[in-house]
Amino acid sequence: MISQENSSGTPSVEAAPPKRPTRAQPVTLRQVAEAAGVSTATVSLIVNKKKDARISAATRNRVRDAIRDLGYRPNAMAQTLVSGSSRFIGLVADAIATTPFAGQIIHGAQDEAWKHGYALLIANTEGNSELETDAISMMLEYKVRGILYSTWFHRATDIPAPLREADFVLVNCFSTEPGTRAVVPDEVQGGRSATEVLLKHGHRRIAFINATIPAPAKDGRLEGYREALEAAGIDFDPSLVLEAYPDQEGGYGATEELLKRDVTAVYCYNDRMAMGLYDGLREHGLSIPEDIAVVGFDNQEVIAAHLRPPLSTVSLPHYELGAAGVRMLLGLEDAPETAAKIYCPTVERTSVQALAPA
């Protein structure tokens, strides 16, 4: 401690900085060998799971007991050099960690990886190509088992050159290059399911407010809408398909045109658009679902579950996309070999109800 005088002349004492906790020393291979009464080479063969090594069952059990009792942890990097791969799976994404619901891809991939004895290395690049290259290179240096490459919205993508050096699967995106493995949402099925919710409740004149931005979701959700109408024996009416920017203002701005179409129900491209439509309908003195029923798409919880009334919607399967990507990467029996479209489940709430008999 240091003693010095303060302004009043009275000696003051500064407290000594707190001591850091003593760091435990890792158990060594030699300590395990001594405890088991064998050579370090024998311990190394057992730790590295060399099944063809001529070591008796009794000796193997004795070494494993010593490992457990001493708390020995094998050197993962050394094992990686021996085996040529690690127990890591990489996940490289452009903005997935900062979007409100797409982080579920990380959650699904992490849970599935852990289930099979792997840990996830995650790099969020924010679309920076230089950072993306560095992230993939780092993962290759760590000899990851493979890499999941994901985008925050469903779209076509170019395959980065360094990614080709790894075993990889595209998640929530796809490439037109033949043989590329990918898992994406089934947009057509999702659009069909959204429309079927309204048909089930007796609606026949159903509008669809689609997005203005070109994307697989725009085309797929429209196709699903048309398929559901056709299956119900309803002719497709192009005048009931409107387009708006896929956000709250877009949905609000589409209200005037929508009300000219004399519809009883509306299916919106996404939940944000439906939120804007709620505002527009209320300004016109209309109630949901009594006057017009509304269905969204995405199941963005912060929106859909908290609107009044809560919004019926179709959920994008982000968690399952991540999990399915890991299964495909590992070549598990329940995973398809190349491309998979993941089912989009319906979440029915109270923005839809049956029409009263005429």
Side-chain angles (χ1 to χ4, degrees):
M1 293 186 291
I2 301 172
S3 177
Q4 60 182 18
E5 289 188 356
N6 58 25
S7 58
S8 64
T10 305
S12 61
V13 179
E14 290 185 6
K19 293 183 178 180
R20 292 182 180 178
T22 303
R23 185 175 178 180
Q25 293 298 315
V27 177
T28 66
L29 201 71
R30 181 177 295 279
Q31 288 173 308
V32 174
E34 290 174 352
V38 297
S39 68
T40 55
T42 298
V43 175
S44 179
L45 289 170
I46 294 171
V47 166
N48 289 302
K49 300 179 181 179
K50 299 294 184 180
K51 296 180 180 179
D52 55 346
R54 295 183 179 180
I55 303 171
S56 70
T59 299
R60 289 181 185 272
N61 289 335
R62 199 163 66 248
V63 170
R64 290 182 186 127
D65 288 344
I67 289 172
R68 184 189 64 247
D69 294 343
L70 295 174
Y72 172 72
R73 297 180 186 276
N75 185 320
M77 290 307 296
Q79 289 183 315
T80 294
L81 292 172
V82 172
S83 65
S85 67
S86 70
R87 304 301 292 179
F88 290 116
I89 289 174
L91 190 152
V92 176
D94 56 2
I96 196 170
T98 56
T99 54
F101 51 85
Q104 284 294 309
I105 290 179
I106 294 176
H107 191 187
Q110 186 169 264
D111 285 353
E112 192 69 23
W114 190 253
K115 187 188 302 183
H116 301 287
Y118 290 86
L120 211 60
L121 290 179
I122 303 166
N124 187 45
T125 67
E126 296 293 342
N128 183 314
S129 58
E130 186 176 342
L131 180 58
E132 179 180 90
T133 297
D134 289 344
I136 295 172
S137 298
M138 179 272 291
M139 291 177 180
L140 293 173
E141 289 173 10
Y142 273 85
K143 298 186 180 295
V144 293
R145 167 61 181 78
I147 297 175
L148 304 181
Y149 182 84
S150 183
T151 56
W152 78 270
F153 71 94
H154 178 193
R155 63 179 175 84
T157 189
D158 295 324
I159 302 171
L163 191 63
R164 297 178 185 276
E165 298 178 40
D167 191 13
F168 69 90
V169 171
L170 304 180
V171 177
N172 205 36
C173 55
F174 62 94
S175 169
T176 55
E177 191 172 313
T180 304
R181 294 182 298 172
V183 289
V184 297
D186 192 336
E187 305 283 7
V188 177
Q189 170 268 312
R192 188 168 58 246
S193 294
T195 311
E196 287 171 348
V197 169
L198 296 165
L199 291 167
K200 181 181 70 174
H201 286 279
H203 296 281
R204 306 287 289 177
R205 192 162 175 79
I206 302 168
F208 174 39
I209 307 179
N210 204 356
T212 52
I213 301 172
K218 177 184 179 180
D219 298 335
R221 294 174 194 183
L222 174 60
E223 184 180 342
Y225 165 77
R226 297 187 64 160
E227 285 184 2
L229 294 177
E230 183 180 352
I234 300 172
D235 292 335
F236 172 69
D237 183 351
S239 72
L240 298 187
V241 178
L242 290 73
E243 289 191 356
Y245 193 81
D247 64 2
Q248 185 174 4
E249 288 302 314
Y252 176 82
T255 308
E256 290 284 351
E257 282 300 314
L258 174 73
L259 294 179
K260 296 175 183 178
R261 304 302 198 269
D262 190 29
V263 298
T264 63
V266 187
Y267 152 41
C268 295
Y269 172 84
N270 65 20
D271 295 345
R272 288 176 295 159
M273 190 179 280
M275 179 167 57
L277 180 64
Y278 267 49
D279 294 336
L281 293 175
R282 285 201 180 94
E283 283 191 5
H284 284 80
L286 298 174
S287 298
I288 302 167
E290 289 80 9
D291 296 313
I292 294 183
V294 181
V295 169
F297 204 112
D298 286 351
N299 192 31
Q300 193 167 336
E301 277 290 319
V302 70
I303 296 175
H306 300 288
L307 287 173
R308 292 293 178 267
L311 178 67
S312 295
T313 186
V314 173
S315 180
L316 278 172
H318 289 104
Y319 181 94
E320 181 55 28
L321 286 172
V326 170
R327 290 196 296 271
M328 184 178 285
L329 186 69
L330 297 178
L332 302 178
E333 290 182 3
D334 58 344
E337 292 183 3
T338 52
K341 291 184 178 180
I342 305 300
Y343 181 84
C344 301
T346 301
V347 182
E348 192 164 341
R349 299 188 178 97
T350 53
S351 64
V352 175
Q353 72 175 18
L355 289 176

